[in-house]
Amino acid sequence: MTEHLLIVEDDELVQALLAAYLKAEGFKVSYAGTGKEMLATINTETIDLILLDLMLPKVDGLTLCQRLRRDERTAGIPILMLTALGGTK
C-alpha cells in the first residue's frame, strides 16, 4: 500500500515542489493550505505523515501540531515541521 502524505503549506509553489518530489518517489499526496483544510482532510482520509508549515495564516503550525497530538485519532501520525525561518533560538 502506498503511504499517503498531507502537505499543509499555504505557498502553492512550495506545495507543488514538495508534491513533485514526493510523487516521483511513489507517495500519494494531498494538500491543505490552512489548518481548517488540514482538519477536513484528516477527517476524510487516512494520512500516514503530515508535512506541516510552521507559518500558516490564522492558526500557526505549532498550534495545529499541539491540537493533533491532543486528539487520540491523530496523536500517532508522524509530523515533519517545515519553516522558512532561519537561525536558532
PDB file of all heavy atoms in Angstrom, residues 34-67:
ATOM      1  N   THR A  34      -4.535  25.609   4.759  1.00  0.00           N
ATOM      2  CA  THR A  34      -4.883  26.173   6.065  1.00  0.00           C
ATOM      3  C   THR A  34      -5.113  25.039   7.058  1.00  0.00           C
ATOM      4  O   THR A  34      -5.287  23.880   6.678  1.00  0.00           O
ATOM      5  CB  THR A  34      -6.173  26.999   5.987  1.00  0.00           C
ATOM      6  OG1 THR A  34      -7.266  26.125   5.668  1.00  0.00           O
ATOM      7  CG2 THR A  34      -6.078  28.125   4.959  1.00  0.00           C
ATOM      8  N   GLY A  35      -5.168  25.413   8.319  1.00  0.00           N
ATOM      9  CA  GLY A  35      -5.472  24.424   9.349  1.00  0.00           C
ATOM     10  C   GLY A  35      -6.858  23.831   9.178  1.00  0.00           C
ATOM     11  O   GLY A  35      -7.058  22.629   9.394  1.00  0.00           O
ATOM     12  N   LYS A  36      -7.800  24.653   8.780  1.00  0.00           N
ATOM     13  CA  LYS A  36      -9.171  24.172   8.565  1.00  0.00           C
ATOM     14  C   LYS A  36      -9.206  23.111   7.466  1.00  0.00           C
ATOM     15  O   LYS A  36      -9.847  22.076   7.608  1.00  0.00           O
ATOM     16  CB  LYS A  36     -10.071  25.354   8.204  1.00  0.00           C
ATOM     17  CG  LYS A  36     -11.518  25.004   8.071  1.00  0.00           C
ATOM     18  CD  LYS A  36     -12.361  26.245   7.810  1.00  0.00           C
ATOM     19  CE  LYS A  36     -13.825  25.888   7.698  1.00  0.00           C
ATOM     20  NZ  LYS A  36     -14.667  27.075   7.495  1.00  0.00           N
ATOM     21  N   GLU A  37      -8.482  23.357   6.372  1.00  0.00           N
ATOM     22  CA  GLU A  37      -8.407  22.380   5.283  1.00  0.00           C
ATOM     23  C   GLU A  37      -7.707  21.101   5.749  1.00  0.00           C
ATOM     24  O   GLU A  37      -8.088  20.000   5.381  1.00  0.00           O
ATOM     25  CB  GLU A  37      -7.673  22.965   4.079  1.00  0.00           C
ATOM     26  CG  GLU A  37      -8.430  24.051   3.362  1.00  0.00           C
ATOM     27  CD  GLU A  37      -7.605  24.696   2.256  1.00  0.00           C
ATOM     28  OE1 GLU A  37      -6.489  24.228   1.951  1.00  0.00           O
ATOM     29  OE2 GLU A  37      -8.087  25.692   1.697  1.00  0.00           O
ATOM     30  N   MET A  38      -6.663  21.269   6.567  1.00  0.00           N
ATOM     31  CA  MET A  38      -5.942  20.114   7.086  1.00  0.00           C
ATOM     32  C   MET A  38      -6.878  19.219   7.899  1.00  0.00           C
ATOM     33  O   MET A  38      -6.918  18.008   7.705  1.00  0.00           O
ATOM     34  CB  MET A  38      -4.780  20.563   7.971  1.00  0.00           C
ATOM     35  CG  MET A  38      -4.021  19.415   8.614  1.00  0.00           C
ATOM     36  SD  MET A  38      -2.967  19.907  10.006  1.00  0.00           S
ATOM     37  CE  MET A  38      -4.192  20.133  11.292  1.00  0.00           C
ATOM     38  N   LEU A  39      -7.633  19.814   8.809  1.00  0.00           N
ATOM     39  CA  LEU A  39      -8.540  19.043   9.656  1.00  0.00           C
ATOM     40  C   LEU A  39      -9.615  18.351   8.831  1.00  0.00           C
ATOM     41  O   LEU A  39      -9.976  17.204   9.106  1.00  0.00           O
ATOM     42  CB  LEU A  39      -9.152  19.947  10.725  1.00  0.00           C
ATOM     43  CG  LEU A  39      -8.144  20.502  11.737  1.00  0.00           C
ATOM     44  CD1 LEU A  39      -8.809  21.548  12.630  1.00  0.00           C
ATOM     45  CD2 LEU A  39      -7.523  19.392  12.564  1.00  0.00           C
ATOM     46  N   ALA A  40     -10.124  19.023   7.810  1.00  0.00           N
ATOM     47  CA  ALA A  40     -11.130  18.409   6.938  1.00  0.00           C
ATOM     48  C   ALA A  40     -10.554  17.193   6.216  1.00  0.00           C
ATOM     49  O   ALA A  40     -11.211  16.153   6.107  1.00  0.00           O
ATOM     50  CB  ALA A  40     -11.652  19.434   5.933  1.00  0.00           C
ATOM     51  N   THR A  41      -9.326  17.306   5.749  1.00  0.00           N
ATOM     52  CA  THR A  41      -8.676  16.187   5.055  1.00  0.00           C
ATOM     53  C   THR A  41      -8.435  15.024   6.007  1.00  0.00           C
ATOM     54  O   THR A  41      -8.695  13.865   5.669  1.00  0.00           O
ATOM     55  CB  THR A  41      -7.347  16.637   4.425  1.00  0.00           C
ATOM     56  OG1 THR A  41      -7.607  17.705   3.502  1.00  0.00           O
ATOM     57  CG2 THR A  41      -6.656  15.497   3.696  1.00  0.00           C
ATOM     58  N   ILE A  42      -7.963  15.320   7.194  1.00  0.00           N
ATOM     59  CA  ILE A  42      -7.697  14.269   8.177  1.00  0.00           C
ATOM     60  C   ILE A  42      -8.980  13.537   8.570  1.00  0.00           C
ATOM     61  O   ILE A  42      -8.959  12.349   8.854  1.00  0.00           O
ATOM     62  CB  ILE A  42      -6.976  14.859   9.409  1.00  0.00           C
ATOM     63  CG1 ILE A  42      -5.543  15.212   9.036  1.00  0.00           C
ATOM     64  CG2 ILE A  42      -6.989  13.893  10.579  1.00  0.00           C
ATOM     65  CD1 ILE A  42      -4.794  15.959  10.088  1.00  0.00           C
ATOM     66  N   ASN A  43     -10.088  14.257   8.576  1.00  0.00           N
ATOM     67  CA  ASN A  43     -11.370  13.637   8.935  1.00  0.00           C
ATOM     68  C   ASN A  43     -11.932  12.749   7.838  1.00  0.00           C
ATOM     69  O   ASN A  43     -12.804  11.926   8.106  1.00  0.00           O
ATOM     70  CB  ASN A  43     -12.395  14.708   9.315  1.00  0.00           C
ATOM     71  CG  ASN A  43     -12.115  15.291  10.678  1.00  0.00           C
ATOM     72  OD1 ASN A  43     -11.572  14.634  11.554  1.00  0.00           O
ATOM     73  ND2 ASN A  43     -12.479  16.539  10.863  1.00  0.00           N
ATOM     74  N   THR A  44     -11.440  12.896   6.594  1.00  0.00           N
ATOM     75  CA  THR A  44     -11.989  12.114   5.481  1.00  0.00           C
ATOM     76  C   THR A  44     -10.984  11.158   4.849  1.00  0.00           C
ATOM     77  O   THR A  44     -11.375  10.300   4.063  1.00  0.00           O
ATOM     78  CB  THR A  44     -12.530  13.045   4.381  1.00  0.00           C
ATOM     79  OG1 THR A  44     -11.473  13.885   3.900  1.00  0.00           O
ATOM     80  CG2 THR A  44     -13.669  13.906   4.906  1.00  0.00           C
ATOM     81  N   GLU A  45      -9.707  11.300   5.163  1.00  0.00           N
ATOM     82  CA  GLU A  45      -8.650  10.489   4.548  1.00  0.00           C
ATOM     83  C   GLU A  45      -7.801   9.826   5.636  1.00  0.00           C
ATOM     84  O   GLU A  45      -7.686  10.346   6.742  1.00  0.00           O
ATOM     85  CB  GLU A  45      -7.727  11.360   3.690  1.00  0.00           C
ATOM     86  CG  GLU A  45      -8.417  12.128   2.588  1.00  0.00           C
ATOM     87  CD  GLU A  45      -8.700  11.290   1.370  1.00  0.00           C
ATOM     88  OE1 GLU A  45      -8.041  10.248   1.189  1.00  0.00           O
ATOM     89  OE2 GLU A  45      -9.598  11.662   0.602  1.00  0.00           O
ATOM     90  N   THR A  46      -7.166   8.728   5.291  1.00  0.00           N
ATOM     91  CA  THR A  46      -6.178   8.115   6.172  1.00  0.00           C
ATOM     92  C   THR A  46      -4.818   8.676   5.782  1.00  0.00           C
ATOM     93  O   THR A  46      -4.362   8.485   4.654  1.00  0.00           O
ATOM     94  CB  THR A  46      -6.183   6.585   6.029  1.00  0.00           C
ATOM     95  OG1 THR A  46      -7.479   6.103   6.373  1.00  0.00           O
ATOM     96  CG2 THR A  46      -5.139   5.950   6.936  1.00  0.00           C
ATOM     97  N   ILE A  47      -4.192   9.383   6.694  1.00  0.00           N
ATOM     98  CA  ILE A  47      -2.919  10.054   6.437  1.00  0.00           C
ATOM     99  C   ILE A  47      -1.820   9.344   7.212  1.00  0.00           C
ATOM    100  O   ILE A  47      -1.962   9.045   8.397  1.00  0.00           O
ATOM    101  CB  ILE A  47      -2.993  11.537   6.868  1.00  0.00           C
ATOM    102  CG1 ILE A  47      -4.122  12.272   6.132  1.00  0.00           C
ATOM    103  CG2 ILE A  47      -1.655  12.232   6.666  1.00  0.00           C
ATOM    104  CD1 ILE A  47      -3.968  12.341   4.629  1.00  0.00           C
ATOM    105  N   ASP A  48      -0.694   9.087   6.531  1.00  0.00           N
ATOM    106  CA  ASP A  48       0.439   8.399   7.146  1.00  0.00           C
ATOM    107  C   ASP A  48       1.513   9.347   7.665  1.00  0.00           C
ATOM    108  O   ASP A  48       2.294   8.981   8.547  1.00  0.00           O
ATOM    109  CB  ASP A  48       1.062   7.427   6.144  1.00  0.00           C
ATOM    110  CG  ASP A  48       0.072   6.357   5.717  1.00  0.00           C
ATOM    111  OD1 ASP A  48      -0.421   5.628   6.593  1.00  0.00           O
ATOM    112  OD2 ASP A  48      -0.212   6.265   4.508  1.00  0.00           O
ATOM    113  N   LEU A  49       1.581  10.561   7.101  1.00  0.00           N
ATOM    114  CA  LEU A  49       2.587  11.543   7.511  1.00  0.00           C
ATOM    115  C   LEU A  49       2.089  12.925   7.122  1.00  0.00           C
ATOM    116  O   LEU A  49       1.498  13.101   6.056  1.00  0.00           O
ATOM    117  CB  LEU A  49       3.930  11.273   6.810  1.00  0.00           C
ATOM    118  CG  LEU A  49       5.035  12.304   7.029  1.00  0.00           C
ATOM    119  CD1 LEU A  49       5.662  12.126   8.411  1.00  0.00           C
ATOM    120  CD2 LEU A  49       6.104  12.197   5.957  1.00  0.00           C
ATOM    121  N   ILE A  50       2.347  13.903   7.999  1.00  0.00           N
ATOM    122  CA  ILE A  50       1.967  15.290   7.718  1.00  0.00           C
ATOM    123  C   ILE A  50       3.228  16.132   7.616  1.00  0.00           C
ATOM    124  O   ILE A  50       4.079  16.098   8.508  1.00  0.00           O
ATOM    125  CB  ILE A  50       1.055  15.858   8.825  1.00  0.00           C
ATOM    126  CG1 ILE A  50      -0.232  15.040   8.925  1.00  0.00           C
ATOM    127  CG2 ILE A  50       0.739  17.330   8.560  1.00  0.00           C
ATOM    128  CD1 ILE A  50      -1.095  15.386  10.122  1.00  0.00           C
ATOM    129  N   LEU A  51       3.353  16.879   6.525  1.00  0.00           N
ATOM    130  CA  LEU A  51       4.395  17.896   6.371  1.00  0.00           C
ATOM    131  C   LEU A  51       3.708  19.219   6.694  1.00  0.00           C
ATOM    132  O   LEU A  51       2.859  19.682   5.937  1.00  0.00           O
ATOM    133  CB  LEU A  51       4.953  17.911   4.952  1.00  0.00           C
ATOM    134  CG  LEU A  51       5.645  16.630   4.526  1.00  0.00           C
ATOM    135  CD1 LEU A  51       5.903  16.629   3.036  1.00  0.00           C
ATOM    136  CD2 LEU A  51       6.943  16.468   5.279  1.00  0.00           C
ATOM    137  N   LEU A  52       4.037  19.823   7.827  1.00  0.00           N
ATOM    138  CA  LEU A  52       3.283  20.950   8.369  1.00  0.00           C
ATOM    139  C   LEU A  52       4.133  22.212   8.423  1.00  0.00           C
ATOM    140  O   LEU A  52       5.159  22.258   9.108  1.00  0.00           O
ATOM    141  CB  LEU A  52       2.787  20.575   9.773  1.00  0.00           C
ATOM    142  CG  LEU A  52       1.958  21.575  10.548  1.00  0.00           C
ATOM    143  CD1 LEU A  52       0.712  21.985   9.777  1.00  0.00           C
ATOM    144  CD2 LEU A  52       1.587  20.990  11.902  1.00  0.00           C
ATOM    145  N   ASP A  53       3.691  23.228   7.698  1.00  0.00           N
ATOM    146  CA  ASP A  53       4.370  24.524   7.692  1.00  0.00           C
ATOM    147  C   ASP A  53       4.185  25.195   9.048  1.00  0.00           C
ATOM    148  O   ASP A  53       3.091  25.177   9.616  1.00  0.00           O
ATOM    149  CB  ASP A  53       3.784  25.400   6.583  1.00  0.00           C
ATOM    150  CG  ASP A  53       4.488  26.729   6.415  1.00  0.00           C
ATOM    151  OD1 ASP A  53       5.592  26.914   6.960  1.00  0.00           O
ATOM    152  OD2 ASP A  53       3.928  27.603   5.722  1.00  0.00           O
ATOM    153  N   LEU A  54       5.219  25.784   9.558  1.00  0.00           N
ATOM    154  CA  LEU A  54       5.156  26.465  10.845  1.00  0.00           C
ATOM    155  C   LEU A  54       4.358  27.769  10.744  1.00  0.00           C
ATOM    156  O   LEU A  54       3.597  28.112  11.635  1.00  0.00           O
ATOM    157  CB  LEU A  54       6.573  26.742  11.353  1.00  0.00           C
ATOM    158  CG  LEU A  54       6.695  27.323  12.751  1.00  0.00           C
ATOM    159  CD1 LEU A  54       6.096  26.379  13.776  1.00  0.00           C
ATOM    160  CD2 LEU A  54       8.153  27.600  13.070  1.00  0.00           C
ATOM    161  N   MET A  55       4.533  28.486   9.636  1.00  0.00           N
ATOM    162  CA  MET A  55       3.894  29.793   9.484  1.00  0.00           C
ATOM    163  C   MET A  55       2.714  29.687   8.506  1.00  0.00           C
ATOM    164  O   MET A  55       2.893  29.757   7.294  1.00  0.00           O
ATOM    165  CB  MET A  55       4.904  30.825   8.981  1.00  0.00           C
ATOM    166  CG  MET A  55       6.041  31.039   9.955  1.00  0.00           C
ATOM    167  SD  MET A  55       7.208  32.324   9.467  1.00  0.00           S
ATOM    168  CE  MET A  55       7.728  31.787   7.854  1.00  0.00           C
ATOM    169  N   LEU A  56       1.525  29.525   9.070  1.00  0.00           N
ATOM    170  CA  LEU A  56       0.303  29.434   8.289  1.00  0.00           C
ATOM    171  C   LEU A  56      -0.604  30.605   8.643  1.00  0.00           C
ATOM    172  O   LEU A  56      -0.503  31.157   9.740  1.00  0.00           O
ATOM    173  CB  LEU A  56      -0.433  28.121   8.588  1.00  0.00           C
ATOM    174  CG  LEU A  56       0.231  26.843   8.115  1.00  0.00           C
ATOM    175  CD1 LEU A  56      -0.441  25.628   8.748  1.00  0.00           C
ATOM    176  CD2 LEU A  56       0.163  26.748   6.597  1.00  0.00           C
ATOM    177  N   PRO A  57      -1.518  30.970   7.749  1.00  0.00           N
ATOM    178  CA  PRO A  57      -2.454  32.046   8.082  1.00  0.00           C
ATOM    179  C   PRO A  57      -3.443  31.596   9.168  1.00  0.00           C
ATOM    180  O   PRO A  57      -3.797  30.428   9.249  1.00  0.00           O
ATOM    181  CB  PRO A  57      -3.170  32.320   6.754  1.00  0.00           C
ATOM    182  CG  PRO A  57      -3.000  31.077   5.950  1.00  0.00           C
ATOM    183  CD  PRO A  57      -1.714  30.453   6.398  1.00  0.00           C
ATOM    184  N   LYS A  58      -3.850  32.515   9.989  1.00  0.00           N
ATOM    185  CA  LYS A  58      -4.837  32.337  11.066  1.00  0.00           C
ATOM    186  C   LYS A  58      -4.330  31.469  12.207  1.00  0.00           C
ATOM    187  O   LYS A  58      -4.172  31.939  13.308  1.00  0.00           O
ATOM    188  CB  LYS A  58      -6.168  31.825  10.527  1.00  0.00           C
ATOM    189  CG  LYS A  58      -6.828  32.801   9.575  1.00  0.00           C
ATOM    190  CD  LYS A  58      -8.205  32.349   9.187  1.00  0.00           C
ATOM    191  CE  LYS A  58      -8.773  33.366   8.199  1.00  0.00           C
ATOM    192  NZ  LYS A  58     -10.087  33.001   7.755  1.00  0.00           N
ATOM    193  N   VAL A  59      -4.097  30.185  11.982  1.00  0.00           N
ATOM    194  CA  VAL A  59      -3.611  29.289  13.041  1.00  0.00           C
ATOM    195  C   VAL A  59      -2.252  28.748  12.612  1.00  0.00           C
ATOM    196  O   VAL A  59      -2.129  28.131  11.561  1.00  0.00           O
ATOM    197  CB  VAL A  59      -4.593  28.121  13.282  1.00  0.00           C
ATOM    198  CG1 VAL A  59      -4.086  27.216  14.393  1.00  0.00           C
ATOM    199  CG2 VAL A  59      -5.988  28.640  13.613  1.00  0.00           C
ATOM    200  N   ASP A  60      -1.216  28.980  13.430  1.00  0.00           N
ATOM    201  CA  ASP A  60       0.140  28.568  13.051  1.00  0.00           C
ATOM    202  C   ASP A  60       0.322  27.061  13.188  1.00  0.00           C
ATOM    203  O   ASP A  60      -0.458  26.370  13.848  1.00  0.00           O
ATOM    204  CB  ASP A  60       1.185  29.322  13.878  1.00  0.00           C
ATOM    205  CG  ASP A  60       1.126  28.954  15.347  1.00  0.00           C
ATOM    206  OD1 ASP A  60       1.733  27.934  15.716  1.00  0.00           O
ATOM    207  OD2 ASP A  60       0.464  29.684  16.113  1.00  0.00           O
ATOM    208  N   GLY A  61       1.364  26.559  12.560  1.00  0.00           N
ATOM    209  CA  GLY A  61       1.639  25.130  12.529  1.00  0.00           C
ATOM    210  C   GLY A  61       1.899  24.525  13.896  1.00  0.00           C
ATOM    211  O   GLY A  61       1.523  23.385  14.165  1.00  0.00           O
ATOM    212  N   LEU A  62       2.544  25.261  14.797  1.00  0.00           N
ATOM    213  CA  LEU A  62       2.812  24.740  16.129  1.00  0.00           C
ATOM    214  C   LEU A  62       1.500  24.483  16.886  1.00  0.00           C
ATOM    215  O   LEU A  62       1.333  23.442  17.524  1.00  0.00           O
ATOM    216  CB  LEU A  62       3.704  25.697  16.924  1.00  0.00           C
ATOM    217  CG  LEU A  62       4.161  25.201  18.286  1.00  0.00           C
ATOM    218  CD1 LEU A  62       4.894  23.875  18.196  1.00  0.00           C
ATOM    219  CD2 LEU A  62       5.031  26.246  18.950  1.00  0.00           C
ATOM    220  N   THR A  63       0.568  25.416  16.782  1.00  0.00           N
ATOM    221  CA  THR A  63      -0.740  25.249  17.421  1.00  0.00           C
ATOM    222  C   THR A  63      -1.476  24.052  16.832  1.00  0.00           C
ATOM    223  O   THR A  63      -2.077  23.256  17.563  1.00  0.00           O
ATOM    224  CB  THR A  63      -1.580  26.528  17.263  1.00  0.00           C
ATOM    225  OG1 THR A  63      -0.878  27.612  17.871  1.00  0.00           O
ATOM    226  CG2 THR A  63      -2.951  26.385  17.904  1.00  0.00           C
ATOM    227  N   LEU A  64      -1.404  23.898  15.506  1.00  0.00           N
ATOM    228  CA  LEU A  64      -2.049  22.753  14.856  1.00  0.00           C
ATOM    229  C   LEU A  64      -1.403  21.442  15.296  1.00  0.00           C
ATOM    230  O   LEU A  64      -2.094  20.452  15.544  1.00  0.00           O
ATOM    231  CB  LEU A  64      -1.981  22.899  13.338  1.00  0.00           C
ATOM    232  CG  LEU A  64      -2.831  24.018  12.745  1.00  0.00           C
ATOM    233  CD1 LEU A  64      -2.495  24.205  11.274  1.00  0.00           C
ATOM    234  CD2 LEU A  64      -4.308  23.737  12.925  1.00  0.00           C
ATOM    235  N   CYS A  65      -0.100  21.436  15.411  1.00  0.00           N
ATOM    236  CA  CYS A  65       0.620  20.248  15.856  1.00  0.00           C
ATOM    237  C   CYS A  65       0.172  19.854  17.269  1.00  0.00           C
ATOM    238  O   CYS A  65      -0.098  18.678  17.541  1.00  0.00           O
ATOM    239  CB  CYS A  65       2.121  20.507  15.825  1.00  0.00           C
ATOM    240  SG  CYS A  65       3.124  19.079  16.280  1.00  0.00           S
ATOM    241  N   GLN A  66       0.071  20.821  18.156  1.00  0.00           N
ATOM    242  CA  GLN A  66      -0.378  20.549  19.517  1.00  0.00           C
ATOM    243  C   GLN A  66      -1.797  19.987  19.523  1.00  0.00           C
ATOM    244  O   GLN A  66      -2.107  19.057  20.273  1.00  0.00           O
ATOM    245  CB  GLN A  66      -0.301  21.822  20.359  1.00  0.00           C
ATOM    246  CG  GLN A  66       1.121  22.263  20.613  1.00  0.00           C
ATOM    247  CD  GLN A  66       1.217  23.661  21.181  1.00  0.00           C
ATOM    248  OE1 GLN A  66       0.311  24.482  21.045  1.00  0.00           O
ATOM    249  NE2 GLN A  66       2.344  23.953  21.822  1.00  0.00           N
ATOM    250  N   ARG A  67      -2.640  20.536  18.674  1.00  0.00           N
ATOM    251  CA  ARG A  67      -4.022  20.051  18.581  1.00  0.00           C
ATOM    252  C   ARG A  67      -4.065  18.598  18.093  1.00  0.00           C
ATOM    253  O   ARG A  67      -4.816  17.773  18.626  1.00  0.00           O
ATOM    254  CB  ARG A  67      -4.818  20.952  17.644  1.00  0.00           C
ATOM    255  CG  ARG A  67      -6.252  20.562  17.513  1.00  0.00           C
ATOM    256  CD  ARG A  67      -7.035  21.576  16.724  1.00  0.00           C
ATOM    257  NE  ARG A  67      -8.404  21.125  16.569  1.00  0.00           N
ATOM    258  CZ  ARG A  67      -9.346  21.821  16.010  1.00  0.00           C
ATOM    259  NH1 ARG A  67      -9.087  23.033  15.541  1.00  0.00           N
ATOM    260  NH2 ARG A  67     -10.557  21.343  15.889  1.00  0.00           N
TER     261      ARG A  67
END
